[in-house]
Amino acid sequence: MASSLVCRVHPVVLFSIVDSFERRNEDARRVIGTLLGTYDKGSVEVTNCFTVPHNESDDEVAVDIEFARNMFELHRRVNPLEVIVGWYSTGTEVTEHSVLIHEYYSRECKTPIHMTIDTALKGGHMNIKSFVSSNMGVPGKTCGTMFTPIPFKVVCYEPERVGVDWIQQGKHNPKRMVTLYSDLQQVAASCNRLQAMLDAALAYIDDVLSGKIPADNTVGRTMMDMVTSIPQLKPEEMEEMLNANLKDLLMVVYLSNLTKTQLALNEKLGIV
Protein backbone atom coordinates (compact mmCIF):
# COMPACT_ATOMS: atom_id res chain seq x y z
CA MET A 1 0.00 0.00 0.00
CA ALA A 2 2.67 2.50 1.04
CA SER A 3 4.85 1.89 -2.00
CA SER A 4 1.90 2.63 -4.32
CA LEU A 5 1.07 5.98 -2.69
CA VAL A 6 1.34 9.20 -4.66
CA CYS A 7 1.91 12.49 -2.86
CA ARG A 8 -0.07 15.42 -4.32
CA VAL A 9 0.75 18.82 -2.83
CA HIS A 10 -1.00 22.16 -3.33
CA PRO A 11 1.03 25.36 -3.84
CA VAL A 12 -0.29 27.00 -0.67
CA VAL A 13 1.53 24.32 1.33
CA LEU A 14 4.86 25.14 -0.30
CA PHE A 15 4.33 28.87 0.23
CA SER A 16 3.58 28.26 3.92
CA ILE A 17 6.72 26.16 4.35
CA VAL A 18 8.93 28.78 2.70
CA ASP A 19 7.35 31.48 4.87
CA SER A 20 7.99 29.48 8.05
CA PHE A 21 11.62 28.95 6.98
CA GLU A 22 12.10 32.68 6.43
CA ARG A 23 10.64 33.42 9.88
CA ARG A 24 12.66 30.78 11.75
CA ASN A 25 14.89 31.55 14.71
CA GLU A 26 18.44 32.57 13.90
CA ASP A 27 19.92 29.45 15.53
CA ALA A 28 17.49 27.04 13.80
CA ARG A 29 19.02 24.90 11.06
CA ARG A 30 15.72 23.65 9.72
CA VAL A 31 11.97 23.96 10.22
CA ILE A 32 9.51 21.11 10.70
CA GLY A 33 5.73 21.02 10.67
CA THR A 34 2.57 18.97 10.28
CA LEU A 35 1.02 18.19 6.89
CA LEU A 36 -2.77 18.14 6.64
CA GLY A 37 -4.88 16.72 3.85
CA THR A 38 -6.90 13.73 2.73
CA TYR A 39 -6.39 10.16 1.51
CA ASP A 40 -8.07 9.13 -1.73
CA LYS A 41 -7.58 5.92 -3.76
CA GLY A 42 -3.86 5.38 -3.35
CA SER A 43 -2.89 9.05 -3.14
CA VAL A 44 -2.28 11.55 -0.37
CA GLU A 45 -3.42 15.09 -1.15
CA VAL A 46 -1.72 17.68 1.05
CA THR A 47 -3.83 20.84 1.24
CA ASN A 48 -2.57 22.59 4.39
CA CYS A 49 0.21 22.65 6.96
CA PHE A 50 1.45 24.40 10.08
CA THR A 51 4.84 24.80 11.72
CA VAL A 52 5.71 22.93 14.92
CA PRO A 53 8.35 24.45 17.25
CA HIS A 54 11.30 22.20 17.95
CA ASN A 55 14.86 22.31 19.27
CA GLU A 56 17.53 20.27 17.58
CA SER A 57 21.20 19.65 18.29
CA ASP A 58 23.72 17.02 17.24
CA ASP A 59 22.74 14.77 20.16
CA GLU A 60 19.00 15.23 20.65
CA VAL A 61 15.77 16.66 19.28
CA ALA A 62 12.74 17.97 21.17
CA VAL A 63 9.36 18.62 19.53
CA ASP A 64 6.52 20.60 21.12
CA ILE A 65 3.93 17.83 20.81
CA GLU A 66 1.33 19.71 22.85
CA PHE A 67 1.53 22.66 20.45
CA ALA A 68 1.11 20.32 17.46
CA ARG A 69 -2.00 18.74 18.95
CA ASN A 70 -3.59 22.07 19.87
CA MET A 71 -2.95 23.45 16.39
CA PHE A 72 -4.51 20.40 14.79
CA GLU A 73 -7.61 20.77 16.97
CA LEU A 74 -7.95 24.40 15.88
CA HIS A 75 -7.52 23.46 12.20
CA ARG A 76 -10.09 20.70 12.55
CA ARG A 77 -12.68 23.21 13.74
CA VAL A 78 -12.21 25.17 10.52
CA ASN A 79 -11.98 22.20 8.17
CA PRO A 80 -13.02 18.89 9.74
CA LEU A 81 -12.25 16.99 6.52
CA GLU A 82 -8.48 17.60 6.80
CA VAL A 83 -6.54 15.02 8.79
CA ILE A 84 -2.88 14.60 9.64
CA VAL A 85 -1.13 12.91 6.71
CA GLY A 86 2.52 13.40 7.70
CA TRP A 87 5.13 16.03 8.33
CA TYR A 88 7.69 18.16 6.51
CA SER A 89 11.20 19.42 7.12
CA THR A 90 13.34 21.93 5.26
CA GLY A 91 16.62 20.66 3.85
CA THR A 92 17.60 17.72 1.72
CA GLU A 93 18.67 15.12 4.31
CA VAL A 94 16.80 12.48 6.24
CA THR A 95 18.69 12.33 9.55
CA GLU A 96 18.50 10.05 12.56
CA HIS A 97 16.42 12.74 14.24
CA SER A 98 13.93 12.40 11.39
CA VAL A 99 13.30 8.83 12.52
CA LEU A 100 12.36 10.00 16.03
CA ILE A 101 10.02 12.69 14.70
CA HIS A 102 8.49 10.22 12.25
CA GLU A 103 7.67 7.86 15.11
CA TYR A 104 5.41 10.51 16.64
CA TYR A 105 3.52 11.03 13.36
CA SER A 106 3.21 7.26 12.98
CA ARG A 107 1.02 7.36 16.06
CA GLU A 108 -1.09 10.21 14.64
CA CYS A 109 -1.86 8.64 11.24
CA LYS A 110 -1.60 5.25 9.59
CA THR A 111 0.89 5.95 6.79
CA PRO A 112 2.60 9.29 7.47
CA ILE A 113 4.33 11.09 4.61
CA HIS A 114 7.70 12.72 5.20
CA MET A 115 8.37 15.59 2.79
CA THR A 116 11.70 17.39 2.45
CA ILE A 117 11.97 20.83 0.82
CA ASP A 118 15.31 22.31 -0.23
CA THR A 119 14.71 25.95 0.71
CA ALA A 120 18.41 26.73 0.15
CA LEU A 121 17.92 26.22 -3.61
CA LYS A 122 21.28 24.48 -3.95
CA GLY A 123 20.53 23.21 -7.45
CA GLY A 124 18.97 26.46 -8.61
CA HIS A 125 15.44 25.21 -7.86
CA MET A 126 13.40 23.96 -4.92
CA ASN A 127 14.07 20.24 -4.74
CA ILE A 128 11.10 18.46 -3.14
CA LYS A 129 10.98 14.80 -2.16
CA SER A 130 8.42 12.68 -0.33
CA PHE A 131 8.98 9.44 1.58
CA VAL A 132 7.18 6.75 3.50
CA SER A 133 8.85 4.60 6.14
CA SER A 134 9.09 0.86 6.58
CA ASN A 135 10.71 -1.32 9.21
CA MET A 136 13.78 -3.34 8.32
CA GLY A 137 16.00 -5.78 10.16
CA VAL A 138 16.26 -9.37 11.37
CA PRO A 139 13.25 -10.83 13.26
CA GLY A 140 13.82 -10.79 17.00
CA LYS A 141 16.61 -8.25 16.74
CA THR A 142 16.71 -4.45 16.79
CA CYS A 143 14.76 -3.10 13.83
CA GLY A 144 15.64 -0.02 11.85
CA THR A 145 13.62 2.36 9.72
CA MET A 146 14.02 2.82 5.98
CA PHE A 147 12.59 5.82 4.12
CA THR A 148 11.37 4.91 0.64
CA PRO A 149 10.75 7.67 -1.96
CA ILE A 150 7.27 7.90 -3.44
CA PRO A 151 6.05 9.85 -6.51
CA PHE A 152 5.46 13.54 -5.92
CA LYS A 153 3.48 16.11 -7.91
CA VAL A 154 2.12 19.62 -7.45
CA VAL A 155 -1.60 20.01 -8.12
CA CYS A 156 -3.77 23.14 -8.14
CA TYR A 157 -7.35 24.13 -7.77
CA GLU A 158 -8.43 26.65 -10.38
CA PRO A 159 -8.12 29.69 -8.04
CA GLU A 160 -4.64 28.49 -7.03
CA ARG A 161 -3.67 28.14 -10.68
CA VAL A 162 -4.67 31.76 -11.32
CA GLY A 163 -2.62 32.93 -8.34
CA VAL A 164 0.45 30.88 -9.27
CA ASP A 165 0.36 32.05 -12.89
CA TRP A 166 0.12 35.64 -11.72
CA ILE A 167 3.02 35.27 -9.26
CA GLN A 168 5.19 33.71 -11.96
CA GLN A 169 5.00 36.93 -13.93
CA GLY A 170 7.32 38.43 -11.32
CA LYS A 171 10.17 36.36 -12.76
CA HIS A 172 10.35 38.71 -15.73
CA ASN A 173 10.24 41.87 -13.61
CA PRO A 174 13.63 43.19 -12.36
CA LYS A 175 11.96 44.31 -9.10
CA ARG A 176 10.25 40.91 -8.69
CA MET A 177 6.94 42.71 -8.23
CA VAL A 178 3.57 42.18 -9.90
CA THR A 179 0.82 44.80 -9.98
CA LEU A 180 -2.77 43.62 -9.98
CA TYR A 181 -4.96 44.78 -12.82
CA SER A 182 -8.22 46.59 -12.27
CA ASP A 183 -11.49 44.89 -13.23
CA LEU A 184 -11.69 46.87 -16.46
CA GLN A 185 -8.09 46.01 -17.37
CA GLN A 186 -8.78 42.31 -16.77
CA VAL A 187 -11.83 42.44 -19.03
CA ALA A 188 -9.80 44.22 -21.73
CA ALA A 189 -6.96 41.68 -21.45
CA SER A 190 -9.42 38.77 -21.68
CA CYS A 191 -11.05 40.31 -24.74
CA ASN A 192 -7.65 40.76 -26.39
CA ARG A 193 -6.74 37.12 -25.73
CA LEU A 194 -10.11 35.99 -27.09
CA GLN A 195 -9.65 38.13 -30.21
CA ALA A 196 -6.16 36.68 -30.76
CA MET A 197 -7.49 33.11 -30.49
CA LEU A 198 -10.32 33.87 -32.92
CA ASP A 199 -7.82 35.37 -35.39
CA ALA A 200 -5.65 32.25 -35.11
CA ALA A 201 -8.67 29.98 -35.70
CA LEU A 202 -9.81 32.01 -38.73
CA ALA A 203 -6.29 32.00 -40.17
CA TYR A 204 -6.15 28.20 -39.79
CA ILE A 205 -9.52 27.80 -41.53
CA ASP A 206 -8.45 30.06 -44.41
CA ASP A 207 -5.20 28.09 -44.86
CA VAL A 208 -7.14 24.80 -44.96
CA LEU A 209 -9.66 26.13 -47.48
CA SER A 210 -6.91 27.51 -49.70
CA GLY A 211 -4.99 24.22 -49.57
CA LYS A 212 -1.90 25.63 -47.84
CA ILE A 213 -2.10 23.07 -45.03
CA PRO A 214 -3.88 19.68 -44.86
CA ALA A 215 -7.17 19.45 -43.03
CA ASP A 216 -7.22 17.84 -39.58
CA ASN A 217 -10.49 16.06 -38.81
CA THR A 218 -9.94 16.26 -35.06
CA VAL A 219 -9.49 20.04 -35.16
CA GLY A 220 -12.50 20.38 -37.43
CA ARG A 221 -14.75 18.39 -35.11
CA THR A 222 -13.52 20.38 -32.10
CA MET A 223 -14.32 23.66 -33.86
CA MET A 224 -17.74 22.36 -34.86
CA ASP A 225 -18.48 21.38 -31.24
CA MET A 226 -17.45 24.86 -30.11
CA VAL A 227 -19.69 26.55 -32.67
CA THR A 228 -22.73 24.38 -31.91
CA SER A 229 -22.29 24.86 -28.15
CA ILE A 230 -22.82 28.62 -28.47
CA PRO A 231 -26.52 29.59 -28.27
CA GLN A 232 -27.79 31.34 -31.39
CA LEU A 233 -28.92 34.82 -30.40
CA LYS A 234 -29.96 37.76 -32.49
CA PRO A 235 -27.78 40.88 -32.14
CA GLU A 236 -30.66 42.73 -30.49
CA GLU A 237 -31.13 39.95 -27.91
CA MET A 238 -27.40 39.82 -27.22
CA GLU A 239 -27.24 43.58 -26.68
CA GLU A 240 -30.28 43.50 -24.41
CA MET A 241 -28.75 40.70 -22.33
CA LEU A 242 -25.45 42.57 -21.94
CA ASN A 243 -27.22 45.78 -20.97
CA ALA A 244 -29.29 43.94 -18.36
CA ASN A 245 -26.17 42.36 -16.85
CA LEU A 246 -24.40 45.72 -16.87
CA LYS A 247 -27.31 47.33 -15.03
CA ASP A 248 -27.21 44.59 -12.40
CA LEU A 249 -23.48 45.07 -11.96
CA LEU A 250 -23.82 48.84 -11.60
CA MET A 251 -26.59 48.37 -9.05
CA VAL A 252 -24.38 46.04 -6.98
CA VAL A 253 -21.51 48.56 -7.13
CA TYR A 254 -23.85 51.39 -6.13
CA LEU A 255 -25.24 49.45 -3.15
CA SER A 256 -21.74 48.46 -2.07
CA ASN A 257 -20.51 52.05 -2.14
CA LEU A 258 -23.67 53.20 -0.33
CA THR A 259 -23.06 50.61 2.40
CA LYS A 260 -19.43 51.70 2.81
CA THR A 261 -20.50 55.34 3.08
CA GLN A 262 -23.15 54.49 5.67
CA LEU A 263 -20.66 52.53 7.76
CA ALA A 264 -18.14 55.37 7.54
CA LEU A 265 -20.77 57.90 8.71
CA ASN A 266 -21.83 55.66 11.60
CA GLU A 267 -18.21 55.30 12.64
CA LYS A 268 -17.64 59.07 12.60
CA LEU A 269 -20.87 59.72 14.53
CA GLY A 270 -19.95 57.07 17.05
CA ILE A 271 -16.55 58.68 17.63
CA VAL A 272 -18.15 62.11 18.14
Side-chain angles (χ1 to χ4, degrees), residues 203-230:
Y204 172 80
I205 294 173
D206 291 338
D207 290 341
V208 172
L209 293 177
S210 62
K212 293 181 179 180
I213 58 176
D216 190 328
N217 294 332
T218 302
V219 176
R221 283 192 292 267
T222 302
M223 288 185 173
M224 181 60 68
D225 292 338
M226 292 173 58
V227 172
T228 55
S229 64
I230 300 175

PDB file of all heavy atoms in Angstrom, residues 203-230:
ATOM      1  N   ALA A 203      -7.438  32.166 -39.282  1.00  0.00           N
ATOM      2  CA  ALA A 203      -6.289  31.997 -40.169  1.00  0.00           C
ATOM      3  C   ALA A 203      -6.088  30.524 -40.515  1.00  0.00           C
ATOM      4  O   ALA A 203      -5.771  30.175 -41.666  1.00  0.00           O
ATOM      5  CB  ALA A 203      -5.040  32.576 -39.511  1.00  0.00           C
ATOM      6  N   TYR A 204      -6.279  29.635 -39.540  1.00  0.00           N
ATOM      7  CA  TYR A 204      -6.148  28.201 -39.791  1.00  0.00           C
ATOM      8  C   TYR A 204      -7.208  27.733 -40.794  1.00  0.00           C
ATOM      9  O   TYR A 204      -6.907  26.969 -41.728  1.00  0.00           O
ATOM     10  CB  TYR A 204      -6.275  27.437 -38.477  1.00  0.00           C
ATOM     11  CG  TYR A 204      -6.348  25.941 -38.648  1.00  0.00           C
ATOM     12  CD1 TYR A 204      -5.202  25.182 -38.866  1.00  0.00           C
ATOM     13  CD2 TYR A 204      -7.583  25.282 -38.609  1.00  0.00           C
ATOM     14  CE1 TYR A 204      -5.275  23.806 -39.038  1.00  0.00           C
ATOM     15  CE2 TYR A 204      -7.667  23.910 -38.772  1.00  0.00           C
ATOM     16  CZ  TYR A 204      -6.511  23.181 -38.986  1.00  0.00           C
ATOM     17  OH  TYR A 204      -6.574  21.818 -39.162  1.00  0.00           O
ATOM     18  N   ILE A 205      -8.447  28.202 -40.611  1.00  0.00           N
ATOM     19  CA  ILE A 205      -9.523  27.802 -41.532  1.00  0.00           C
ATOM     20  C   ILE A 205      -9.239  28.292 -42.943  1.00  0.00           C
ATOM     21  O   ILE A 205      -9.422  27.555 -43.936  1.00  0.00           O
ATOM     22  CB  ILE A 205     -10.873  28.343 -41.019  1.00  0.00           C
ATOM     23  CG1 ILE A 205     -11.237  27.676 -39.690  1.00  0.00           C
ATOM     24  CG2 ILE A 205     -11.978  28.094 -42.044  1.00  0.00           C
ATOM     25  CD1 ILE A 205     -12.460  28.259 -39.020  1.00  0.00           C
ATOM     26  N   ASP A 206      -8.771  29.525 -43.078  1.00  0.00           N
ATOM     27  CA  ASP A 206      -8.450  30.063 -44.411  1.00  0.00           C
ATOM     28  C   ASP A 206      -7.330  29.259 -45.069  1.00  0.00           C
ATOM     29  O   ASP A 206      -7.386  28.988 -46.288  1.00  0.00           O
ATOM     30  CB  ASP A 206      -8.045  31.533 -44.294  1.00  0.00           C
ATOM     31  CG  ASP A 206      -9.214  32.432 -43.906  1.00  0.00           C
ATOM     32  OD1 ASP A 206     -10.368  32.012 -44.133  1.00  0.00           O
ATOM     33  OD2 ASP A 206      -8.966  33.535 -43.363  1.00  0.00           O
ATOM     34  N   ASP A 207      -6.305  28.871 -44.295  1.00  0.00           N
ATOM     35  CA  ASP A 207      -5.197  28.093 -44.859  1.00  0.00           C
ATOM     36  C   ASP A 207      -5.667  26.716 -45.314  1.00  0.00           C
ATOM     37  O   ASP A 207      -5.201  26.194 -46.344  1.00  0.00           O
ATOM     38  CB  ASP A 207      -4.076  27.953 -43.823  1.00  0.00           C
ATOM     39  CG  ASP A 207      -3.370  29.264 -43.558  1.00  0.00           C
ATOM     40  OD1 ASP A 207      -3.476  30.179 -44.396  1.00  0.00           O
ATOM     41  OD2 ASP A 207      -2.713  29.390 -42.491  1.00  0.00           O
ATOM     42  N   VAL A 208      -6.609  26.118 -44.562  1.00  0.00           N
ATOM     43  CA  VAL A 208      -7.136  24.803 -44.959  1.00  0.00           C
ATOM     44  C   VAL A 208      -7.968  24.930 -46.234  1.00  0.00           C
ATOM     45  O   VAL A 208      -7.850  24.109 -47.166  1.00  0.00           O
ATOM     46  CB  VAL A 208      -7.967  24.200 -43.812  1.00  0.00           C
ATOM     47  CG1 VAL A 208      -8.686  22.934 -44.290  1.00  0.00           C
ATOM     48  CG2 VAL A 208      -7.081  23.865 -42.619  1.00  0.00           C
ATOM     49  N   LEU A 209      -8.812  25.951 -46.296  1.00  0.00           N
ATOM     50  CA  LEU A 209      -9.665  26.127 -47.478  1.00  0.00           C
ATOM     51  C   LEU A 209      -8.848  26.446 -48.726  1.00  0.00           C
ATOM     52  O   LEU A 209      -9.210  26.040 -49.843  1.00  0.00           O
ATOM     53  CB  LEU A 209     -10.680  27.236 -47.222  1.00  0.00           C
ATOM     54  CG  LEU A 209     -11.742  26.938 -46.146  1.00  0.00           C
ATOM     55  CD1 LEU A 209     -12.647  28.149 -45.936  1.00  0.00           C
ATOM     56  CD2 LEU A 209     -12.564  25.712 -46.522  1.00  0.00           C
ATOM     57  N   SER A 210      -7.743  27.165 -48.549  1.00  0.00           N
ATOM     58  CA  SER A 210      -6.907  27.507 -49.703  1.00  0.00           C
ATOM     59  C   SER A 210      -5.941  26.392 -50.078  1.00  0.00           C
ATOM     60  O   SER A 210      -5.252  26.495 -51.099  1.00  0.00           O
ATOM     61  CB  SER A 210      -6.132  28.795 -49.424  1.00  0.00           C
ATOM     62  OG  SER A 210      -5.262  28.624 -48.308  1.00  0.00           O
ATOM     63  N   GLY A 211      -5.864  25.337 -49.278  1.00  0.00           N
ATOM     64  CA  GLY A 211      -4.987  24.218 -49.568  1.00  0.00           C
ATOM     65  C   GLY A 211      -3.552  24.396 -49.110  1.00  0.00           C
ATOM     66  O   GLY A 211      -2.689  23.587 -49.460  1.00  0.00           O
ATOM     67  N   LYS A 212      -3.266  25.417 -48.321  1.00  0.00           N
ATOM     68  CA  LYS A 212      -1.898  25.628 -47.839  1.00  0.00           C
ATOM     69  C   LYS A 212      -1.472  24.560 -46.836  1.00  0.00           C
ATOM     70  O   LYS A 212      -0.317  24.144 -46.800  1.00  0.00           O
ATOM     71  CB  LYS A 212      -1.766  27.022 -47.211  1.00  0.00           C
ATOM     72  CG  LYS A 212      -1.920  28.165 -48.202  1.00  0.00           C
ATOM     73  CD  LYS A 212      -1.749  29.505 -47.497  1.00  0.00           C
ATOM     74  CE  LYS A 212      -1.881  30.674 -48.478  1.00  0.00           C
ATOM     75  NZ  LYS A 212      -1.715  31.981 -47.797  1.00  0.00           N
ATOM     76  N   ILE A 213      -2.400  24.122 -46.018  1.00  0.00           N
ATOM     77  CA  ILE A 213      -2.102  23.072 -45.031  1.00  0.00           C
ATOM     78  C   ILE A 213      -3.188  22.010 -45.124  1.00  0.00           C
ATOM     79  O   ILE A 213      -4.331  22.307 -45.503  1.00  0.00           O
ATOM     80  CB  ILE A 213      -2.023  23.636 -43.600  1.00  0.00           C
ATOM     81  CG1 ILE A 213      -3.345  24.320 -43.216  1.00  0.00           C
ATOM     82  CG2 ILE A 213      -0.855  24.600 -43.451  1.00  0.00           C
ATOM     83  CD1 ILE A 213      -3.361  24.811 -41.781  1.00  0.00           C
ATOM     84  N   PRO A 214      -2.864  20.748 -44.798  1.00  0.00           N
ATOM     85  CA  PRO A 214      -3.879  19.683 -44.864  1.00  0.00           C
ATOM     86  C   PRO A 214      -4.900  19.836 -43.739  1.00  0.00           C
ATOM     87  O   PRO A 214      -4.598  20.355 -42.660  1.00  0.00           O
ATOM     88  CB  PRO A 214      -3.051  18.401 -44.702  1.00  0.00           C
ATOM     89  CG  PRO A 214      -1.823  18.841 -43.955  1.00  0.00           C
ATOM     90  CD  PRO A 214      -1.527  20.234 -44.420  1.00  0.00           C
ATOM     91  N   ALA A 215      -6.093  19.375 -44.018  1.00  0.00           N
ATOM     92  CA  ALA A 215      -7.169  19.451 -43.027  1.00  0.00           C
ATOM     93  C   ALA A 215      -6.965  18.394 -41.948  1.00  0.00           C
ATOM     94  O   ALA A 215      -6.492  17.284 -42.219  1.00  0.00           O
ATOM     95  CB  ALA A 215      -8.522  19.261 -43.704  1.00  0.00           C
ATOM     96  N   ASP A 216      -7.292  18.749 -40.715  1.00  0.00           N
ATOM     97  CA  ASP A 216      -7.222  17.835 -39.576  1.00  0.00           C
ATOM     98  C   ASP A 216      -8.651  17.606 -39.082  1.00  0.00           C
ATOM     99  O   ASP A 216      -9.320  18.532 -38.624  1.00  0.00           O
ATOM    100  CB  ASP A 216      -6.365  18.429 -38.457  1.00  0.00           C
ATOM    101  CG  ASP A 216      -6.068  17.423 -37.353  1.00  0.00           C
ATOM    102  OD1 ASP A 216      -6.923  16.545 -37.101  1.00  0.00           O
ATOM    103  OD2 ASP A 216      -4.983  17.515 -36.727  1.00  0.00           O
ATOM    104  N   ASN A 217      -9.115  16.359 -39.191  1.00  0.00           N
ATOM    105  CA  ASN A 217     -10.489  16.058 -38.813  1.00  0.00           C
ATOM    106  C   ASN A 217     -10.756  16.313 -37.336  1.00  0.00           C
ATOM    107  O   ASN A 217     -11.847  16.752 -36.942  1.00  0.00           O
ATOM    108  CB  ASN A 217     -10.825  14.604 -39.159  1.00  0.00           C
ATOM    109  CG  ASN A 217     -10.812  14.362 -40.654  1.00  0.00           C
ATOM    110  OD1 ASN A 217     -11.063  15.279 -41.446  1.00  0.00           O
ATOM    111  ND2 ASN A 217     -10.517  13.132 -41.061  1.00  0.00           N
ATOM    112  N   THR A 218      -9.750  16.053 -36.496  1.00  0.00           N
ATOM    113  CA  THR A 218      -9.936  16.265 -35.059  1.00  0.00           C
ATOM    114  C   THR A 218     -10.150  17.739 -34.748  1.00  0.00           C
ATOM    115  O   THR A 218     -11.049  18.113 -33.980  1.00  0.00           O
ATOM    116  CB  THR A 218      -8.720  15.741 -34.283  1.00  0.00           C
ATOM    117  OG1 THR A 218      -8.531  14.350 -34.577  1.00  0.00           O
ATOM    118  CG2 THR A 218      -8.912  15.916 -32.787  1.00  0.00           C
ATOM    119  N   VAL A 219      -9.333  18.597 -35.361  1.00  0.00           N
ATOM    120  CA  VAL A 219      -9.486  20.041 -35.160  1.00  0.00           C
ATOM    121  C   VAL A 219     -10.827  20.517 -35.698  1.00  0.00           C
ATOM    122  O   VAL A 219     -11.519  21.342 -35.084  1.00  0.00           O
ATOM    123  CB  VAL A 219      -8.325  20.798 -35.829  1.00  0.00           C
ATOM    124  CG1 VAL A 219      -8.534  22.314 -35.715  1.00  0.00           C
ATOM    125  CG2 VAL A 219      -6.992  20.404 -35.210  1.00  0.00           C
ATOM    126  N   GLY A 220     -11.223  19.990 -36.846  1.00  0.00           N
ATOM    127  CA  GLY A 220     -12.502  20.382 -37.426  1.00  0.00           C
ATOM    128  C   GLY A 220     -13.673  20.014 -36.544  1.00  0.00           C
ATOM    129  O   GLY A 220     -14.594  20.821 -36.354  1.00  0.00           O
ATOM    130  N   ARG A 221     -13.650  18.801 -35.992  1.00  0.00           N
ATOM    131  CA  ARG A 221     -14.751  18.388 -35.111  1.00  0.00           C
ATOM    132  C   ARG A 221     -14.770  19.221 -33.832  1.00  0.00           C
ATOM    133  O   ARG A 221     -15.839  19.567 -33.318  1.00  0.00           O
ATOM    134  CB  ARG A 221     -14.613  16.898 -34.776  1.00  0.00           C
ATOM    135  CG  ARG A 221     -15.063  15.975 -35.905  1.00  0.00           C
ATOM    136  CD  ARG A 221     -15.185  14.542 -35.422  1.00  0.00           C
ATOM    137  NE  ARG A 221     -13.878  13.987 -35.104  1.00  0.00           N
ATOM    138  CZ  ARG A 221     -13.121  13.298 -35.962  1.00  0.00           C
ATOM    139  NH1 ARG A 221     -13.552  13.096 -37.208  1.00  0.00           N
ATOM    140  NH2 ARG A 221     -11.954  12.795 -35.608  1.00  0.00           N
ATOM    141  N   THR A 222     -13.580  19.548 -33.310  1.00  0.00           N
ATOM    142  CA  THR A 222     -13.519  20.382 -32.100  1.00  0.00           C
ATOM    143  C   THR A 222     -14.108  21.759 -32.361  1.00  0.00           C
ATOM    144  O   THR A 222     -14.874  22.299 -31.550  1.00  0.00           O
ATOM    145  CB  THR A 222     -12.067  20.514 -31.619  1.00  0.00           C
ATOM    146  OG1 THR A 222     -11.526  19.213 -31.365  1.00  0.00           O
ATOM    147  CG2 THR A 222     -11.985  21.346 -30.350  1.00  0.00           C
ATOM    148  N   MET A 223     -13.761  22.349 -33.518  1.00  0.00           N
ATOM    149  CA  MET A 223     -14.324  23.661 -33.859  1.00  0.00           C
ATOM    150  C   MET A 223     -15.831  23.589 -34.048  1.00  0.00           C
ATOM    151  O   MET A 223     -16.571  24.489 -33.629  1.00  0.00           O
ATOM    152  CB  MET A 223     -13.660  24.193 -35.128  1.00  0.00           C
ATOM    153  CG  MET A 223     -12.227  24.641 -34.942  1.00  0.00           C
ATOM    154  SD  MET A 223     -11.552  25.400 -36.451  1.00  0.00           S
ATOM    155  CE  MET A 223      -9.973  25.994 -35.833  1.00  0.00           C
ATOM    156  N   MET A 224     -16.303  22.502 -34.659  1.00  0.00           N
ATOM    157  CA  MET A 224     -17.742  22.356 -34.862  1.00  0.00           C
ATOM    158  C   MET A 224     -18.470  22.234 -33.520  1.00  0.00           C
ATOM    159  O   MET A 224     -19.543  22.824 -33.325  1.00  0.00           O
ATOM    160  CB  MET A 224     -18.019  21.117 -35.713  1.00  0.00           C
ATOM    161  CG  MET A 224     -19.503  20.887 -35.994  1.00  0.00           C
ATOM    162  SD  MET A 224     -20.276  22.281 -36.881  1.00  0.00           S
ATOM    163  CE  MET A 224     -19.432  22.127 -38.468  1.00  0.00           C
ATOM    164  N   ASP A 225     -17.877  21.500 -32.579  1.00  0.00           N
ATOM    165  CA  ASP A 225     -18.478  21.385 -31.243  1.00  0.00           C
ATOM    166  C   ASP A 225     -18.525  22.738 -30.545  1.00  0.00           C
ATOM    167  O   ASP A 225     -19.507  23.064 -29.851  1.00  0.00           O
ATOM    168  CB  ASP A 225     -17.688  20.387 -30.394  1.00  0.00           C
ATOM    169  CG  ASP A 225     -17.811  18.960 -30.905  1.00  0.00           C
ATOM    170  OD1 ASP A 225     -18.800  18.678 -31.618  1.00  0.00           O
ATOM    171  OD2 ASP A 225     -16.933  18.132 -30.592  1.00  0.00           O
ATOM    172  N   MET A 226     -17.481  23.538 -30.728  1.00  0.00           N
ATOM    173  CA  MET A 226     -17.455  24.859 -30.113  1.00  0.00           C
ATOM    174  C   MET A 226     -18.531  25.770 -30.701  1.00  0.00           C
ATOM    175  O   MET A 226     -19.210  26.503 -29.977  1.00  0.00           O
ATOM    176  CB  MET A 226     -16.072  25.497 -30.302  1.00  0.00           C
ATOM    177  CG  MET A 226     -14.954  24.817 -29.536  1.00  0.00           C
ATOM    178  SD  MET A 226     -13.330  25.485 -29.938  1.00  0.00           S
ATOM    179  CE  MET A 226     -13.552  27.207 -29.510  1.00  0.00           C
ATOM    180  N   VAL A 227     -18.694  25.693 -32.016  1.00  0.00           N
ATOM    181  CA  VAL A 227     -19.687  26.548 -32.667  1.00  0.00           C
ATOM    182  C   VAL A 227     -21.096  26.142 -32.268  1.00  0.00           C
ATOM    183  O   VAL A 227     -21.957  26.995 -31.969  1.00  0.00           O
ATOM    184  CB  VAL A 227     -19.507  26.498 -34.201  1.00  0.00           C
ATOM    185  CG1 VAL A 227     -20.665  27.217 -34.892  1.00  0.00           C
ATOM    186  CG2 VAL A 227     -18.179  27.117 -34.599  1.00  0.00           C
ATOM    187  N   THR A 228     -21.375  24.845 -32.247  1.00  0.00           N
ATOM    188  CA  THR A 228     -22.726  24.384 -31.908  1.00  0.00           C
ATOM    189  C   THR A 228     -23.047  24.560 -30.428  1.00  0.00           C
ATOM    190  O   THR A 228     -24.229  24.575 -30.054  1.00  0.00           O
ATOM    191  CB  THR A 228     -22.878  22.898 -32.280  1.00  0.00           C
ATOM    192  OG1 THR A 228     -21.833  22.132 -31.640  1.00  0.00           O
ATOM    193  CG2 THR A 228     -22.785  22.715 -33.783  1.00  0.00           C
ATOM    194  N   SER A 229     -22.034  24.681 -29.578  1.00  0.00           N
ATOM    195  CA  SER A 229     -22.290  24.858 -28.146  1.00  0.00           C
ATOM    196  C   SER A 229     -22.691  26.283 -27.801  1.00  0.00           C
ATOM    197  O   SER A 229     -23.197  26.539 -26.697  1.00  0.00           O
ATOM    198  CB  SER A 229     -21.042  24.477 -27.340  1.00  0.00           C
ATOM    199  OG  SER A 229     -19.956  25.348 -27.623  1.00  0.00           O
ATOM    200  N   ILE A 230     -22.473  27.224 -28.717  1.00  0.00           N
ATOM    201  CA  ILE A 230     -22.820  28.623 -28.467  1.00  0.00           C
ATOM    202  C   ILE A 230     -24.285  28.836 -28.840  1.00  0.00           C
ATOM    203  O   ILE A 230     -24.700  28.507 -29.956  1.00  0.00           O
ATOM    204  CB  ILE A 230     -21.929  29.569 -29.291  1.00  0.00           C
ATOM    205  CG1 ILE A 230     -20.460  29.359 -28.919  1.00  0.00           C
ATOM    206  CG2 ILE A 230     -22.328  31.031 -29.070  1.00  0.00           C
ATOM    207  CD1 ILE A 230     -19.497  30.154 -29.768  1.00  0.00           C
TER     208      ILE A 230
END
